[in-house]
Structures are given as C-alpha cells and as structure tokens.
Amino acid sequence: KVNIQKCDQYLNVDAGTLNPGEHGECFVTRDGAETDLDLGHYERFLDIELTQSSSLMTGRVMRKVIEAERSGKYLGKTVQLIPHVTDAIQEEIEACSKGFDVHIVEVGGTVGDYEGLHFIEAIRELSHKIGREKCIFVHVVYVPYLGTSKEFKSKPAQNAVKDLRNLGIVPDILLARSELRAPDNIKSKLALFSGVPERGIALLPNASSIYQVPLTFEKEGILSYICERLQLPRRPLRHSLWKEMVKRTGVTYEKTISVGVVAKYLNNQDTYLSVFEALRSAAMWQEVNLHLEWVDAEKLDARSSSANKLLSDFDGIVVPGGFGKRGIEGKIKAARYCLDEKVPYLGLCLGMQVALIAAARRAGLSKANSVEFDPDSPHPVIHTMSDQKGKENTGGTMRLGEYPCLLPAGSMARELYGKASVMERHRHRYEANNAYRDKYESWGLRASGLSPDGQLVEIIETLEKHPFMVASQFHPEFLSRPNRPHSLFAGFIAACKHQQNKLA
Ligand code: GLN
C-alpha cells in the first residue's frame, strides 16, 4: 500500500486562491482539499484517491504553528523554524503515512531554495527518527546536452548533489533528467562523485508520454534496487494494461476527431490538465486521434454573428469549469450552438450552468443568467445555495469534494455510467435554482443527476433527440484515469466519433 504527499513551498494555505492561468489547474481531492495539480498526476499514476493530508503547503504548516503559539501550546518558549516548524512538518508526514507500507514525499522546488529549507531539514531529521535504512532519498538531477560540443554535462548534477550534502542529505538514488538519452557511461561519472552506486542511477530522457516514465524506471533496473533498499519483496509487476495504454499514446489512428474547448485561461497548458487528460484517455481507448483546440470565449462573444463559423469545424465542444464574468456570454453562445445544431456538448461545472442558461434563453427567458454574472437577473436560473446566502464574499462558501449523485432510470447519464448512483467531486459556489425545475421539460432538458434528497441538480441532459448534451455540476475529470477513461468523457468522445461519421 502506497501513499504519496507533496510539500509545497508556497506560503498559501491551499491552492484554492491561486490563479489557474498562472499556476495551472486546482485539483480537488475526495475530501474537498484544493490542491496543486501534481496531486492529479499522483492519482492518475497510482490510481488511488488522495486526501487533504497529501498536500502540505508551507502556509498550512505555518498556520498550525502560529495557532499553537497563540493557544499557549509552546509554554512560553521561543517558537522557531527548527524545531517547531520542522517538527510540525514531520508530524504531518508521519500522519499521512499511517497505514501504508511505503510513503512517498515529494519536496517541491530546487535544493538550495531559501523557501524550501524547512522541508529539507524536516526530512533529514525524519530519516534518523524512522531509521536511515527504512528511508531512501531520491534526488532528481539535470544532465544538460551541449549541442555545440555534442556532450552531456554532469557538472550541474554534481553541484546539486553537493548542495544537498551541505544540507545533510546523502542521496540514495539519482534520477538523471535529460532532453536526449545520455550515454550509459555518464552513470559511472555520476556514481563517482555522488557515491550512489550505478544500480541506483536511472537515466530519464524526455519521453513522448509521461506515462512511459514508470516503464523507463523498470528498464533502468531501478525498481529492484528500490525494493532491495527498502527490504520489500520484489513481485512481478501487474502492468499489462498500463503498457497497453502507453503503447496507445504513441499510435496514430486512422481517424481524428476535433474538439473545441471554450475557455478563457488560454495562456497556460496546465489550466485544464485533468480535463485534457480525460479527453485524451477517452480518445485513445476508442482508437481515434484527438485534436484539441482552444476557443477564446471572449472572442466568441465579441463576434456576434459568427459563433457558428468559429465552432463549425469541431466534432464536439467542451465548456470546462471557470469563475467570473469574463467570457461568459461566449460560453453561453457555445452551449446554445450545440443545442441548436445538435453538436455533442460536454459541460463541466460552469459548463452545466451555461447550458442551463442557454436552454432557458432559447425558451424565451432572454435575461436568464447566474447570479454570479448578473445579480439582478429577473431569471436567476443559477443562484446561491440557500444555506450560503449572505456569506457570498466571506470565502469558504464553496461546495467542495465528493458528493453522491443519483441517476434516474432511462437517462443517458444512467446508461453511460451503467449504475444508479455515483460519487463525484465538486468545486463551485452556485447551483441550479430549484424554482425553475418544473420548466426544464419545456426547455427541452431533464435533470438526470440529483443529490439523494433531490434538492441539488447534479447533471442535466437534453430530452429532445440530441447526439450528446450532458453537463455536470461536478468535475468528472478528476476521476478519469489514463487506463480507465471516465464514463462521461467516453460517452462524449463516442458521440464526437459518431458525429463525424454522420457528416462524412
Ligand atoms: N463559477 C461557478 C460556481 O462557482 C462554476 C465553478 C466551476 O466551474 N468550478 O458555481
């Protein structure tokens, strides 16, 4: 049993307030923690569900220490980075590792970062506490290639190891990252100055898919070495499905489907990382190439008459999550286009809200909106949850984490999932307004996912015949896996495929 935890240097308490355009996606765990997107990678690689304890940000630790100081826990002592903050970090790491055979801790940043010293010191102390033989330090070093002299340079790695030793940590394993594959003799060089045996060094050239990396580890023989060092039995790997998946990432299929993602944070590839991963996974298991294209929601809004033109090249449209007014009319337009033109549409969180707004407007409520974008809308089809009224600006009013959702018989959602109830993760402030629920039918919609008490609309889909118009208030992308695409994404890609056949 393996658990994993990320130590982040930021003074933020969580990733909830970080700008996704700058920092990438905010990943949400089952228990509602707003975390760094690395936790998404962890979940996809390990195929487990993590919790808050796996995301340790400096701000969170500091807050804990300061709160303890304020409540007099330190009995009048001076409170210091060492031992108080470093002890608090060790407590968090030990708590997170309880019940697992192996616990992986990633310390973010670079050795020598002023901001990361407390984490390095904490793991150094911890290794002595739990027993040095029960702990391995894995150091990721960089081996650059100099094109002019055609050689790989081990010097930066050498310096990095020296820096780490200065902080009291001797690495047990070196992972040497490089653009191209370095020649094997670089290992002996690295071994010589680092003291790490060659068997403990793995060369990691850029891979065509990140999912290839575990297979490279295997090839490099590092897995046996890890098992030996941690005195774990070396069992045969059960990774045939993973291997098959990696193979698929390299295949070019006959067919390509083209999906437009209508969004506003266009400057950062990582903003919708889990959404893209889910789409890619669904496409490769259905043996089609995926062409993903951003559509700037603001542009879609500005060119009033040309929405159809901008979107008509796509086999399907995704409107992912988002906050704030900017670009919202463009997203509503995209949903309307998919409703009218019967183009596959997958709405994720905000994507469900805009689909509801589009359907209401189409049915004649021209000023229908979410109170997030128009607080005075005469038809607030999306509104603040009643238990949150009055707390809108106080923070901490979001519905976060996993909630159950029931799927009525006969719905497309039920058919896609193949079961009557699912758990899915949320991150939003607003909800569908129940005052309009009895209108859905006349808007051509049905609520096909509801909270167990029937009070919250979790999924909507069309009643009228449509290839795929399914949108969820939750974020299904967080549960998709590279080797097991999420049902809603799989359904969407299948519909896009079908759409293309129809047009061809
Ligand atoms: N802004 C919307 C809300 O708060 C949607 C949030 C999202 O897409 N994650 O409800």
Side-chain angles (χ1 to χ4, degrees):
K1 282 172 73 187
V2 179
N3 203 9
I4 186 162
Q5 185 175 31
K6 165 113 195 240
C7 298
D8 246 319
Q9 308 182 343
Y10 304 116
L11 284 170
N12 302 69
V13 171
D14 59 41
T17 54
L18 294 174
N19 176 347
E22 253 169 55
H23 193 76
E25 152 187 289
C26 172
F27 189 81
V28 181
T29 58
R30 184 171 69 183
D31 60 344
E34 299 177 279
T35 73
D36 185 88
L37 53 78
D38 278 341
L39 267 78
H41 286 305
Y42 296 169
E43 288 207 356
R44 285 185 286 271
F45 274 90
L46 292 173
D47 199 2
I48 53 176
E49 292 198 63
L50 301 168
T51 62
Q52 170 69 72
S53 63
S54 284
S55 172
L56 187 58
M57 287 201 163
T58 293
R60 178 169 297 275
V61 185
M62 294 294 187
R63 184 169 76 172
K64 211 171 140 192
V65 170
I66 290 170
E67 277 168 3
E69 186 269 337
R70 289 291 84 188
S71 64
K73 200 184 136 208
Y74 297 116
L75 305 172
K77 288 217 165 59
T78 51
V79 182
Q80 297 179 286
L81 276 175
I82 306 170
H84 301 105
V85 172
T86 46
D87 278 356
I89 293 169
Q90 290 176 60
E91 273 166 32
E92 296 279 341
I93 293 176
E94 288 189 278
C96 190
S97 71
K98 281 241 153 54
F100 293 90
D101 301 312
V102 177
H103 187 52
I104 304 171
V105 181
E106 176 182 352
V107 178
T110 302
V111 176
D113 278 351
Y114 185 70
E115 292 185 307
L117 290 175
H118 50 295
F119 285 123
I120 306 266
E121 173 59 14
I123 58 168
R124 187 193 68 78
E125 289 176 22
L126 192 60
S127 72
H128 291 290
K129 196 157 141 199
I130 61 175
R132 190 60 186 83
E133 73 291 351
K134 288 200 184 129
C135 163
I136 48 179
F137 288 116
V138 180
H139 189 33
V140 182
V141 293
Y142 181 47
V143 179
Y145 178 72
L146 291 192
T148 39
S149 55
K150 297 196 174 44
E151 54 176 348
F152 286 88
K153 286 288 184 193
S154 61
K155 199 76 187 174
Q158 191 170 342
N159 284 341
V161 171
K162 200 173 76 191
D163 285 347
L164 193 59
R165 288 182 162 212
N166 278 342
L167 298 172
I169 292 183
V170 180
D172 301 289
I173 286 181
L174 291 186
L175 302 181
R177 284 285 291 112
S178 58
E179 250 93 307
L180 307 167
R181 197 189 150 81
D184 269 329
N185 67 13
I186 197 101
K187 280 192 185 179
S188 56
K189 240 180 175 175
L190 295 172
L192 184 68
F193 68 68
S194 65
V196 176
E198 283 188 39
R199 287 186 57 224
I201 301 175
L203 303 182
L204 293 185
N206 280 357
S208 53
S209 152
I210 48 167
Y211 300 120
Q212 163 66 38
V213 176
L215 303 181
T216 308
F217 284 141
E218 185 190 9
K219 236 176 34 218
E220 289 287 294
I222 200 83
L223 305 185
S224 315
Y225 186 71
I226 293 174
C227 288
E228 217 173 272
R229 286 295 310 267
L230 290 177
Q231 296 170 32
L232 296 167
R234 179 80 165 94
R235 297 206 197 97
L237 295 173
R238 284 167 300 160
H239 61 343
S240 48
L241 193 59
W242 189 273
K243 272 179 143 163
E244 167 64 23
M245 180 267 291
V246 172
K247 212 169 88 198
R248 281 169 187 261
T249 61
V251 176
T252 308
Y253 296 101
E254 204 180 300
K255 242 195 189 145
T256 300
I257 59 160
S258 171
V259 171
V261 179
V262 181
K264 67 176 171 183
Y265 307 110
L266 306 172
N267 52 345
N268 184 342
Q269 280 290 322
D270 286 346
T271 315
Y272 299 106
L273 187 69
S274 295
V275 175
F276 286 8
E277 286 296 304
L279 287 168
R280 279 192 203 109
S281 160
M284 76 184 167
W285 286 106
Q286 292 184 42
E287 308 195 336
V288 287
N289 312 311
L290 180 66
H291 171 72
L292 274 174
E293 209 172 294
W294 296 93
V295 181
D296 186 341
E298 278 184 294
K299 275 205 193 124
L300 200 56
D301 180 20
R303 293 194 213 167
S304 45
S305 58
S306 62
N308 288 29
K309 218 160 134 208
L310 272 176
L311 298 177
S312 62
D313 284 344
F314 300 113
D315 303 309
I317 298 289
V318 177
V319 176
F323 292 82
K325 198 169 172 174
R326 185 162 67 83
I328 199 67
E329 287 300 323
K331 294 178 189 181
I332 296 170
K333 214 176 244 183
R336 173 72 187 260
Y337 163 81
C338 291
L339 272 171
D340 288 344
E341 304 300 322
K342 307 244 180 297
V343 173
Y345 176 91
L346 177 65
L348 308 167
C349 205
L350 180 65
M352 182 193 99
Q353 300 177 353
V354 297
L356 257 177
I357 296 168
R361 289 188 186 176
R362 188 170 77 143
L365 305 182
S366 62
K367 293 210 154 72
N369 215 328
S370 161
V371 298
E372 180 178 6
F373 316 120
D374 179 7
D376 304 318
S377 166
H379 296 295
V381 296
I382 308 292
H383 73 158
T384 316
M385 289 168 272
S386 53
D387 58 343
Q388 293 192 352
K389 288 229 163 81
K391 292 194 276 183
E392 286 87 349
N393 294 319
T394 54
T397 55
M398 281 218 252
R399 182 144 76 108
L400 285 168
E402 168 184 91
Y403 287 86
C405 166
L406 306 185
L407 312 165
S411 64
M412 189 175 209
R414 168 85 164 252
E415 194 182 310
L416 289 168
Y417 278 102
K419 49 186 165 183
S421 118
V422 292
M423 294 294 265
E424 291 279 3
R425 297 185 200 166
H426 293 249
R427 179 174 185 250
H428 54 99
R429 201 162 275 128
Y430 302 91
E431 302 273 358
N433 186 346
N434 284 337
Y436 292 89
R437 279 265 281 282
D438 58 353
K439 302 277 187 310
Y440 284 13
E441 221 183 293
S442 65
W443 299 349
L445 295 180
R446 79 182 280 190
S448 60
L450 290 172
S451 58
D453 65 2
Q455 288 308 300
L456 300 168
V457 175
E458 307 285 35
I459 307 179
I460 58 162
E461 61 185 55
T462 44
L463 267 178
E464 53 198 85
K465 227 174 131 26
H466 190 289
F468 188 98
M469 183 95 197
V470 180
S472 65
Q473 187 56 82
F474 48 78
H475 289 274
E477 64 269 25
F478 295 142
L479 288 183
S480 190
R481 298 288 182 256
N483 46 359
R484 200 177 54 253
H486 188 284
S487 316
L488 295 187
F489 284 88
F492 171 70
I493 293 291
C496 293
K497 246 172 102 174
H498 193 71
Q499 180 81 358
Q500 208 182 43
N501 287 342
K502 223 173 58 192
L503 297 179

